[in-house]
Coordinates of all heavy atoms in Angstrom, one line a residue:
S309 N -136.5 8.0 20.1 CA -137.0 7.2 21.2 C -136.4 7.6 22.5 O -135.3 8.1 22.6 CB -136.8 5.7 20.9 OG -135.5 5.4 21.1
R310 N -137.2 7.4 23.6 CA -136.7 7.8 24.9 C -136.2 6.6 25.6 O -136.7 5.5 25.6 CB -137.8 8.4 25.7 CG -138.4 9.7 25.1 CD -139.4 10.2 26.0 NE -138.8 11.1 26.9 CZ -139.4 11.8 27.8 NH1 -140.7 11.8 27.9 NH2 -138.7 12.6 28.6
K311 N -135.1 6.8 26.4 CA -134.5 5.7 27.2 C -135.3 5.6 28.5 O -135.8 6.6 29.0 CB -133.1 6.0 27.5 CG -132.1 5.9 26.4 CD -130.7 6.1 26.8 CE -129.8 6.1 25.7 NZ -128.4 6.2 26.1
T312 N -135.6 4.4 28.9 CA -136.2 4.2 30.2 C -135.2 4.4 31.3 O -134.1 3.9 31.2 CB -136.9 2.9 30.3 OG1 -136.0 1.8 30.1 CG2 -138.0 2.7 29.2
K313 N -135.6 5.0 32.4 CA -134.7 5.2 33.5 C -134.7 4.0 34.4 O -135.7 3.4 34.6 CB -135.2 6.5 34.3 CG -135.0 7.8 33.6 CD -135.2 8.9 34.5 CE -135.0 10.2 33.7 NZ -135.2 11.4 34.6
T314 N -133.5 3.7 34.8 CA -133.3 2.6 35.8 C -133.5 3.1 37.2 O -132.9 4.2 37.5 CB -131.9 2.0 35.6 OG1 -131.7 1.6 34.3 CG2 -131.7 0.8 36.6
K315 N -134.2 2.4 38.0 CA -134.4 2.8 39.4 C -133.1 2.8 40.1 O -132.4 1.8 40.1 CB -135.4 1.8 40.0 CG -135.6 2.1 41.5 CD -136.6 1.0 42.0 CE -135.9 0.3 43.2 NZ -136.7 -0.7 43.8
T316 N -132.7 3.9 40.7 CA -131.4 4.0 41.4 C -131.5 4.0 42.9 O -130.6 3.9 43.7 CB -130.6 5.2 41.0 OG1 -131.3 6.4 41.3 CG2 -130.2 5.1 39.5
Y317 N -132.8 4.1 43.4 CA -133.0 4.2 44.8 C -133.4 2.8 45.3 O -133.8 1.9 44.6 CB -134.1 5.2 45.2 CG -135.4 4.9 44.5 CD1 -136.4 4.1 45.1 CD2 -135.7 5.5 43.3 CE1 -137.5 3.9 44.4 CE2 -136.9 5.2 42.6 CZ -137.8 4.4 43.2 OH -139.0 4.2 42.6
S318 N -133.3 2.6 46.6 CA -133.6 1.3 47.2 C -134.7 1.5 48.3 O -134.8 2.6 48.9 CB -132.3 0.7 47.8 OG -132.6 -0.4 48.6
K319 N -135.3 0.5 48.7 CA -136.3 0.5 49.8 C -135.5 0.5 51.1 O -136.1 0.6 52.2 CB -137.3 -0.6 49.7 CG -136.7 -2.0 49.8 CD -137.9 -3.0 49.6 CE -137.3 -4.4 49.4 NZ -138.4 -5.4 49.2
Y320 N -134.2 0.2 51.1 CA -133.4 0.1 52.3 C -132.5 1.3 52.5 O -131.9 1.9 51.5 CB -132.5 -1.2 52.2 CG -133.2 -2.4 52.1 CD1 -133.2 -3.2 50.9 CD2 -134.0 -2.9 53.1 CE1 -133.9 -4.4 50.8 CE2 -134.7 -4.1 53.0 CZ -134.6 -4.8 51.8 OH -135.3 -6.0 51.7
K321 N -132.3 1.7 53.7 CA -131.4 2.8 54.1 C -130.0 2.4 53.8 O -129.6 1.3 54.0 CB -131.6 3.1 55.6 CG -130.8 4.3 56.0 CD -131.0 4.6 57.5 CE -130.1 5.7 58.0 NZ -130.6 7.0 57.7
G322 N -129.2 3.4 53.1 CA -127.8 3.2 52.9 C -127.5 2.3 51.6 O -126.4 1.9 51.4
V323 N -128.5 2.0 50.8 CA -128.3 1.2 49.6 C -128.7 2.0 48.4 O -129.8 2.6 48.3 CB -129.2 -0.1 49.7 CG1 -129.0 -1.0 48.5 CG2 -128.8 -0.9 51.0
T324 N -127.9 1.9 47.4 CA -128.1 2.6 46.1 C -127.8 1.7 44.9 O -126.8 0.9 45.0 CB -127.2 3.8 46.0 OG1 -127.4 4.7 47.1 CG2 -127.4 4.6 44.7
R325 N -128.5 1.7 43.9 CA -128.2 0.9 42.7 C -127.2 1.7 41.9 O -127.3 2.9 41.6 CB -129.5 0.7 41.9 CG -129.3 -0.2 40.7 CD -130.6 -0.5 39.9 NE -130.3 -1.5 38.9 CZ -130.6 -2.8 39.0 NH1 -131.1 -3.2 40.1 NH2 -130.3 -3.6 38.0
I326 N -126.2 0.9 41.4 CA -125.2 1.5 40.5 C -125.4 1.0 39.1 O -125.3 -0.2 38.9 CB -123.8 1.1 41.0 CG1 -123.6 1.5 42.5 CG2 -122.7 1.7 40.2 CD1 -123.7 3.0 42.8
R327 N -125.6 1.9 38.2 CA -125.8 1.5 36.8 C -124.4 1.2 36.1 O -123.4 1.8 36.4 CB -126.4 2.7 36.0 CG -127.9 2.8 36.3 CD -128.5 3.9 35.5 NE -128.8 5.0 36.5 CZ -129.3 6.1 36.1 NH1 -129.6 6.4 34.9 NH2 -129.5 7.0 37.0
G328 N -124.5 0.2 35.2 CA -123.3 -0.1 34.4 C -122.2 -0.9 35.2 O -121.1 -1.0 34.7
R329 N -122.6 -1.6 36.3 CA -121.7 -2.4 37.0 C -122.2 -3.8 37.1 O -123.4 -4.0 37.2 CB -121.4 -1.9 38.4 CG -120.6 -0.6 38.4 CD -120.1 -0.2 39.7 NE -119.1 -1.2 40.1 CZ -117.9 -1.0 40.4 NH1 -117.4 0.2 40.3 NH2 -117.1 -2.0 40.9
K330 N -121.4 -4.8 37.1 CA -121.8 -6.2 37.2 C -122.5 -6.4 38.6 O -123.5 -7.0 38.7 CB -120.6 -7.1 37.0 CG -121.0 -8.6 36.9 CD -119.8 -9.4 36.5 CE -120.3 -10.8 36.4 NZ -119.2 -11.7 36.1
K331 N -121.8 -5.9 39.7 CA -122.4 -5.9 41.0 C -123.3 -4.7 41.1 O -122.7 -3.6 41.1 CB -121.4 -6.0 42.1 CG -120.5 -7.2 42.1 CD -119.5 -7.2 43.2 CE -118.7 -8.5 43.2 NZ -117.8 -8.5 44.3
C332 N -124.5 -4.8 41.2 CA -125.5 -3.7 40.9 C -125.7 -2.8 42.1 O -126.1 -1.6 41.9 CB -126.8 -4.2 40.5 SG -126.7 -5.1 38.9
W333 N -125.5 -3.2 43.4 CA -126.0 -2.4 44.5 C -124.8 -2.0 45.4 O -123.9 -2.8 45.6 CB -127.0 -3.2 45.4 CG -128.2 -3.5 44.6 CD1 -128.5 -4.6 43.9 CD2 -129.3 -2.7 44.5 NE1 -129.7 -4.6 43.3 CE2 -130.3 -3.4 43.7 CE3 -129.7 -1.4 44.9 CZ2 -131.5 -2.8 43.3 CZ3 -130.9 -0.9 44.6 CH2 -131.8 -1.6 43.8
M334 N -124.8 -0.8 45.9 CA -123.7 -0.3 46.7 C -124.3 0.0 48.1 O -125.4 0.6 48.2 CB -123.1 1.0 46.2 CG -121.9 1.5 47.0 SD -121.2 3.0 46.4 CE -122.5 4.2 46.7
A335 N -123.6 -0.3 49.2 CA -123.9 0.0 50.5 C -123.0 1.1 51.0 O -121.8 1.1 50.7 CB -123.9 -1.2 51.4
Q336 N -123.5 2.1 51.7 CA -122.7 3.2 52.3 C -123.4 3.7 53.6 O -124.6 3.5 53.7 CB -122.5 4.3 51.3 CG -123.7 5.0 50.9 CD -123.3 6.1 49.8 OE1 -122.2 6.2 49.3 NE2 -124.3 6.9 49.5
I337 N -122.6 4.3 54.5 CA -123.2 4.8 55.7 C -122.5 6.1 56.0 O -121.4 6.3 55.7 CB -123.0 3.7 56.8 CG1 -123.8 4.1 58.1 CG2 -121.5 3.5 57.2 CD1 -123.9 3.0 59.1
G338 N -123.3 7.0 56.7 CA -122.7 8.2 57.1 C -122.3 8.2 58.6 O -123.0 7.7 59.4
F339 N -121.1 8.7 58.8 CA -120.6 8.8 60.2 C -119.7 9.9 60.4 O -118.7 10.1 59.6 CB -119.9 7.4 60.6 CG -119.4 7.3 62.0 CD1 -120.3 7.2 63.0 CD2 -118.1 7.4 62.3 CE1 -119.9 7.1 64.3 CE2 -117.6 7.3 63.6 CZ -118.6 7.2 64.6
S340 N -119.9 10.7 61.4 CA -119.0 11.9 61.7 C -118.9 12.8 60.4 O -117.8 13.3 60.2 CB -117.7 11.5 62.2 OG -117.8 10.8 63.4
G341 N -119.9 13.0 59.7 CA -119.9 13.9 58.5 C -119.2 13.3 57.3 O -119.1 14.0 56.3
N342 N -118.9 12.0 57.4 CA -118.3 11.4 56.2 C -119.2 10.2 55.7 O -119.9 9.6 56.5 CB -116.9 10.7 56.6 CG -115.9 11.8 57.0 OD1 -115.8 12.8 56.3 ND2 -115.2 11.6 58.1
S343 N -119.1 10.0 54.4 CA -119.8 8.9 53.8 C -118.8 7.7 53.6 O -117.8 7.9 53.0 CB -120.4 9.3 52.5 OG -121.0 8.2 51.9
I344 N -119.1 6.6 54.2 CA -118.2 5.4 54.2 C -118.8 4.4 53.2 O -119.9 3.9 53.5 CB -118.0 4.8 55.6 CG1 -117.5 5.9 56.6 CG2 -117.1 3.6 55.5 CD1 -117.6 5.4 58.0
K345 N -118.1 4.1 52.2 CA -118.6 3.1 51.2 C -118.2 1.7 51.8 O -117.1 1.4 52.2 CB -117.9 3.3 49.8 CG -118.4 4.5 49.2 CD -117.9 4.7 47.8 CE -118.5 5.9 47.2 NZ -117.7 6.6 46.3
L346 N -119.2 0.8 51.8 CA -119.1 -0.5 52.4 C -118.9 -1.6 51.4 O -118.7 -2.7 51.7 CB -120.3 -0.8 53.3 CG -120.6 0.3 54.3 CD1 -121.9 0.0 55.0 CD2 -119.5 0.4 55.3
G347 N -119.1 -1.3 50.1 CA -118.9 -2.3 49.1 C -120.0 -2.4 48.1 O -121.0 -1.7 48.2
Y348 N -119.8 -3.3 47.1 CA -120.7 -3.5 46.0 C -121.3 -4.9 46.1 O -120.5 -5.8 46.5 CB -120.1 -3.3 44.6 CG -119.6 -1.9 44.4 CD1 -118.3 -1.5 44.7 CD2 -120.5 -0.9 43.9 CE1 -117.9 -0.2 44.5 CE2 -120.1 0.4 43.7 CZ -118.8 0.7 44.0 OH -118.4 2.0 43.8
F349 N -122.6 -5.1 45.8 CA -123.2 -6.4 46.1 C -124.1 -6.7 44.9 O -124.6 -5.9 44.2 CB -124.0 -6.3 47.4 CG -123.2 -5.9 48.5 CD1 -123.0 -4.6 48.9 CD2 -122.6 -6.9 49.3 CE1 -122.2 -4.3 49.9 CE2 -121.8 -6.6 50.4 CZ -121.6 -5.2 50.7
F350 N -124.3 -8.0 44.7 CA -125.2 -8.5 43.6 C -126.7 -8.2 43.9 O -127.5 -8.0 43.0 CB -125.0 -10.0 43.4 CG -123.7 -10.3 42.7 CD1 -122.7 -10.9 43.3 CD2 -123.5 -9.9 41.3 CE1 -121.5 -11.2 42.7 CE2 -122.3 -10.2 40.7 CZ -121.3 -10.9 41.4
T351 N -127.0 -8.3 45.2 CA -128.4 -8.1 45.6 C -128.6 -6.9 46.5 O -127.7 -6.6 47.3 CB -129.0 -9.4 46.3 OG1 -128.4 -9.5 47.5 CG2 -128.8 -10.6 45.4
E352 N -129.8 -6.3 46.4 CA -130.2 -5.2 47.3 C -130.2 -5.7 48.8 O -129.7 -4.9 49.6 CB -131.6 -4.8 46.8 CG -132.1 -3.5 47.5 CD -133.5 -3.2 46.9 OE1 -134.1 -4.0 46.3 OE2 -133.9 -2.0 47.2
E353 N -130.6 -6.9 49.0 CA -130.7 -7.4 50.4 C -129.3 -7.6 51.0 O -129.1 -7.3 52.2 CB -131.5 -8.7 50.4 CG -133.0 -8.6 50.1 CD -133.3 -8.4 48.6 OE1 -132.5 -8.6 47.8 OE2 -134.4 -7.9 48.3
D354 N -128.4 -8.1 50.2 CA -127.0 -8.3 50.7 C -126.4 -6.9 51.1 O -125.7 -6.8 52.1 CB -126.1 -9.0 49.7 CG -126.4 -10.5 49.6 OD1 -127.1 -11.0 50.5 OD2 -126.0 -11.1 48.6
A355 N -126.6 -5.9 50.3 CA -126.1 -4.6 50.6 C -126.8 -4.0 51.9 O -126.1 -3.4 52.7 CB -126.4 -3.6 49.4
A356 N -128.1 -4.3 52.1 CA -128.8 -3.8 53.3 C -128.2 -4.6 54.5 O -128.1 -4.0 55.6 CB -130.2 -4.1 53.1
R357 N -127.9 -5.9 54.4 CA -127.3 -6.6 55.5 C -126.0 -6.0 55.9 O -125.6 -5.9 57.1 CB -127.2 -8.1 55.2 CG -128.5 -8.8 55.2 CD -128.3 -10.3 54.9 NE -129.6 -10.9 54.6 CZ -130.1 -11.1 53.4 NH1 -129.4 -10.8 52.3 NH2 -131.3 -11.7 53.2
R358 N -125.1 -5.7 54.9 CA -123.8 -5.1 55.2 C -124.0 -3.7 55.9 O -123.2 -3.4 56.8 CB -123.0 -5.0 53.9 CG -121.7 -4.3 54.1 CD -120.8 -5.2 54.9 NE -119.5 -4.5 55.2 CZ -119.2 -3.9 56.3 NH1 -120.0 -3.9 57.3 NH2 -118.0 -3.3 56.4
Y359 N -124.9 -2.9 55.4 CA -125.2 -1.7 56.1 C -125.6 -1.9 57.5 O -125.1 -1.2 58.4 CB -126.4 -1.0 55.4 CG -126.8 0.3 56.1 CD1 -126.3 1.5 55.9 CD2 -127.8 0.2 57.1 CE1 -126.6 2.6 56.6 CE2 -128.2 1.3 57.8 CZ -127.6 2.5 57.6 OH -128.0 3.6 58.3
N360 N -126.4 -2.9 57.8 CA -126.8 -3.2 59.2 C -125.6 -3.6 60.0 O -125.5 -3.1 61.2 CB -127.8 -4.4 59.2 CG -129.2 -3.9 58.7 OD1 -129.5 -2.8 58.5 ND2 -130.1 -4.9 58.5
Q361 N -124.7 -4.4 59.5 CA -123.5 -4.8 60.3 C -122.7 -3.5 60.7 O -122.3 -3.4 61.8 CB -122.6 -5.7 59.5 CG -123.2 -7.1 59.2 CD -122.4 -7.9 58.2 OE1 -121.5 -7.3 57.5 NE2 -122.6 -9.2 58.2
E362 N -122.5 -2.7 59.7 CA -121.7 -1.5 60.0 C -122.4 -0.5 61.0 O -121.8 0.1 61.8 CB -121.3 -0.8 58.7 CG -120.2 0.3 58.9 CD -118.9 -0.3 59.2 OE1 -118.6 -1.5 59.0 OE2 -118.1 0.5 59.8
A363 N -123.7 -0.4 60.8 CA -124.5 0.5 61.7 C -124.5 0.0 63.1 O -124.3 0.8 64.0 CB -126.0 0.5 61.2
I364 N -124.5 -1.3 63.4 CA -124.4 -1.8 64.7 C -123.0 -1.5 65.3 O -122.9 -1.1 66.4 CB -124.6 -3.3 64.7 CG1 -126.1 -3.6 64.4 CG2 -124.2 -4.0 66.1 CD1 -126.5 -5.0 64.1
E365 N -121.9 -1.7 64.5 CA -120.6 -1.3 64.9 C -120.4 0.1 65.3 O -119.8 0.5 66.3 CB -119.5 -1.7 63.9 CG -119.3 -3.2 63.8 CD -118.1 -3.5 62.8 OE1 -117.2 -2.7 62.8 OE2 -118.2 -4.6 62.2
L366 N -121.0 1.0 64.5 CA -120.8 2.4 64.7 C -121.7 3.0 65.7 O -121.3 3.9 66.5 CB -121.0 3.2 63.3 CG -119.9 2.9 62.3 CD1 -120.3 3.6 61.0 CD2 -118.5 3.3 62.7
F367 N -123.0 2.6 65.7 CA -124.0 3.2 66.6 C -124.6 2.4 67.7 O -125.4 2.8 68.5 CB -125.2 3.7 65.7 CG -124.7 4.7 64.6 CD1 -124.7 4.3 63.3 CD2 -124.3 5.9 64.9 CE1 -124.3 5.1 62.3 CE2 -123.9 6.8 63.9 CZ -123.9 6.4 62.6
G368 N -124.2 1.1 67.7 CA -124.6 0.2 68.8 C -126.1 0.0 68.8 O -126.8 -0.1 67.8
K369 N -126.7 0.1 70.0 CA -128.2 -0.1 70.1 C -129.0 1.1 69.6 O -130.2 1.0 69.4 CB -128.5 -0.4 71.6 CG -128.3 0.7 72.5 CD -128.7 0.3 73.9 CE -128.5 1.4 74.9 NZ -128.9 1.1 76.3
M370 N -128.3 2.2 69.3 CA -129.0 3.3 68.7 C -129.1 3.3 67.2 O -129.7 4.2 66.5 CB -128.3 4.6 69.1 CG -128.2 4.9 70.6 SD -129.9 5.0 71.3 CE -130.4 6.6 70.6
A371 N -128.6 2.2 66.6 CA -128.5 2.1 65.1 C -129.9 1.9 64.5 O -130.8 1.2 65.1 CB -127.6 0.9 64.7
Y372 N -130.1 2.6 63.4 CA -131.4 2.3 62.6 C -131.0 1.2 61.7 O -130.2 1.3 60.8 CB -131.7 3.6 61.8 CG -132.9 3.4 60.9 CD1 -134.2 3.5 61.3 CD2 -132.7 3.0 59.6 CE1 -135.3 3.2 60.5 CE2 -133.7 2.8 58.7 CZ -135.0 2.9 59.1 OH -136.0 2.7 58.3
L373 N -131.7 0.1 61.8 CA -131.5 -1.1 61.0 C -132.6 -1.3 59.9 O -133.7 -1.1 60.2 CB -131.3 -2.3 61.9 CG -130.2 -2.3 62.9 CD1 -130.3 -3.6 63.8 CD2 -128.9 -2.1 62.3
N374 N -132.1 -1.9 58.8 CA -133.1 -2.3 57.8 C -133.7 -3.6 58.2 O -133.1 -4.5 58.7 CB -132.3 -2.5 56.5 CG -131.8 -1.2 55.9 OD1 -132.5 -0.2 55.7 ND2 -130.5 -1.2 55.6
E375 N -135.0 -3.7 57.9 CA -135.7 -5.0 58.0 C -135.5 -5.7 56.7 O -136.3 -5.4 55.7 CB -137.1 -4.8 58.4 CG -137.3 -4.3 59.8 CD -138.8 -4.2 60.2 OE1 -139.6 -5.0 59.7 OE2 -139.1 -3.2 60.9
V376 N -134.6 -6.7 56.6 CA -134.3 -7.3 55.3 C -135.1 -8.6 55.2 O -135.0 -9.4 56.1 CB -132.8 -7.6 55.2 CG1 -132.4 -8.2 53.9 CG2 -131.9 -6.4 55.5
T377 N -135.7 -8.7 54.0 CA -136.5 -9.9 53.7 C -135.6 -10.7 52.8 O -134.7 -10.2 52.1 CB -137.8 -9.6 53.0 OG1 -137.6 -8.9 51.9 CG2 -138.7 -8.9 54.0
D378 N -135.9 -12.0 52.7 CA -135.1 -12.9 51.9 C -135.3 -12.7 50.4 O -134.4 -12.9 49.6 CB -135.4 -14.4 52.2 CG -134.5 -15.4 51.6 OD1 -133.6 -15.0 50.8 OD2 -134.7 -16.6 51.8
G379 N -136.4 -12.1 50.0 CA -136.7 -11.9 48.6 C -137.4 -13.1 48.0 O -138.0 -13.0 46.9
N380 N -137.4 -14.2 48.6 CA -138.1 -15.4 48.1 C -139.5 -15.6 48.8 O -140.2 -16.5 48.5 CB -137.3 -16.7 48.4 CG -136.0 -16.7 47.7 OD1 -135.9 -16.1 46.6 ND2 -135.0 -17.3 48.2
V381 N -139.9 -14.7 49.6 CA -141.2 -14.8 50.3 C -142.3 -14.2 49.5 O -142.2 -13.3 48.8 CB -141.1 -14.0 51.7 CG1 -142.4 -14.1 52.4 CG2 -140.0 -14.5 52.5

């Protein structure tokens, strides 16, 4: 039998699903040629919000931000 693949990509920039962890989503951002890990989160939306916070700090008004929905809509 074949194993089904778990989706590891996100609809949000800087967010990746991590298999085998209790907190499923990781946020990270690239800056000056480095990848900065921002933490692990239970929801995809929380990881996207953390990415947005760091993007504003690093890039200011030039930051590309995720449009995060609540998920209950």
Side-chain angles (χ1 to χ4, degrees):
S309 71
R310 298 183 88 176
K311 291 183 180 181
T312 58
K313 291 188 177 183
T314 303
K315 176 182 124 176
T316 58
Y317 57 90
S318 170
K319 61 183 174 181
Y320 299 112
K321 182 177 174 84
V323 177
T324 305
R325 185 176 185 100
I326 304 298
R327 285 182 251 180
R329 291 195 63 121
K330 190 173 182 181
K331 294 183 180 182
C332 298
W333 297 93
M334 180 181 71
Q336 64 183 8
I337 192 167
F339 183 71
S340 296
N342 296 313
S343 180
I344 303 167
K345 290 185 177 148
L346 305 174
Y348 296 94
F349 303 87
F350 287 110
T351 68
E352 186 178 16
E353 290 77 17
D354 286 344
R357 286 184 192 95
R358 178 64 184 102
Y359 173 90
N360 285 351
Q361 290 172 346
E362 193 67 22
I364 291 168
E365 284 187 35
L366 295 174
F367 301 109
K369 64 181 181 178
M370 298 299 292
Y372 173 86
L373 301 178
N374 293 306
E375 292 184 31
V376 182
T377 59
D378 189 0
N380 296 328
V381 178

